[in-house]
Amino acid sequence: EGLSANSVQSLLADYEDNLWAGTLGSGVNLFSGETFVSYNYRNGLSTENVTAIFTEPSGRTSYIGTTDGLFIFNQSNGLFKKVTGIKEIEKANIASLSTDASGLLWIAAGNKVFVLKRQGESLLLNKQFSRIDGVPLLSPNKIIHNSEGNCLIATFGSGAFFINGKTEKSFN
């Protein structure tokens, strides 16, 4: 069998060369090179609209962004657990996920960027941006971190942004 749906919103090749495909309406698919495995509400997702996928560089943790918040994939049992306790992202439509060199998880959702830090098994809100360099964030849709530790944010209405430590710049 193949993909569970033809509307693919997000793709990721993980560190084991598996292909993840997040669909609109049919959950997420994992292709190991031989077979597709489909994950959906039966595996703990509260929605089957998967908008962002990110695996930490260690390969241990996979984050799934949806139109109903953030989920963490448990590789040992094949189940997803919703991230709760951070009201700002519990029902958020997540557009992009990335981690920085220190392991902080960056999330683009709505008109904000959220930065979460891991504390044991929990995630805590560390920081949030609604403006960068004095410019409002309008629909951030992609966050990436380069090898130099810089964070780059693309938006649907306010250009692009650059963050490195205390330096914040807008390009619009």
Side-chain angles (χ1 to χ4, degrees):
E1 291 196 33
L3 287 170
S4 59
N6 288 328
S7 295
V8 176
Q9 175 72 21
S10 54
L11 287 172
L12 172 79
D14 70 17
Y15 297 93
E16 295 178 351
D17 289 328
N18 296 309
L19 176 66
W20 294 78
T23 70
L24 294 180
S26 293
V28 65
N29 297 261
L30 179 61
F31 181 65
S32 64
E34 295 178 18
T35 60
F36 277 95
V37 177
S38 296
Y39 298 98
N40 51 39
Y41 67 91
R42 289 185 300 270
N43 306 96
L45 292 173
S46 61
T47 179
E48 294 185 346
N49 296 319
V50 176
T51 54
I53 306 167
F54 187 81
T55 299
E56 289 182 339
S58 67
R60 291 184 307 218
T61 304
S62 296
Y63 297 100
I64 307 297
T66 72
T67 56
D68 189 40
L70 180 67
F71 292 79
I72 297 176
F73 180 64
N74 183 327
Q75 295 175 4
S76 63
N77 64 14
L79 297 176
F80 293 87
K81 181 180 179 193
K82 185 166 184 169
V83 173
T84 59
I86 305 171
K87 65 180 171 76
E88 293 86 351
I89 65 163
E90 279 190 24
K91 296 283 185 184
N93 184 354
I94 295 176
S96 185
L97 301 164
S98 183
T99 57
D100 63 19
S102 63
L104 296 174
L105 177 65
W106 292 63
I107 301 170
N111 286 326
K112 293 186 178 179
V113 169
F114 301 94
V115 183
L116 308 183
K117 71 176 180 178
R118 185 175 283 281
Q119 186 172 20
E121 292 296 312
S122 299
L123 291 170
L124 304 173
L125 182 62
N126 187 54
K127 189 172 189 175
Q128 62 182 308
F129 296 90
S130 58
R131 300 176 78 80
I132 297 175
D133 194 26
V135 178
L137 278 168
L138 300 177
S139 299
N141 60 63
K142 187 67 177 172
I143 301 174
I144 61 170
H145 287 83
N146 66 17
S147 61
E148 297 171 2
N150 301 315
C151 176
L152 305 155
I153 302 167
T155 73
F156 276 130
S158 53
F161 297 89
F162 168 91
I163 301 172
N164 184 343
K166 295 186 187 271
T167 303
E168 297 179 4
K169 293 182 182 178
S170 62
F171 301 96
N172 52 14

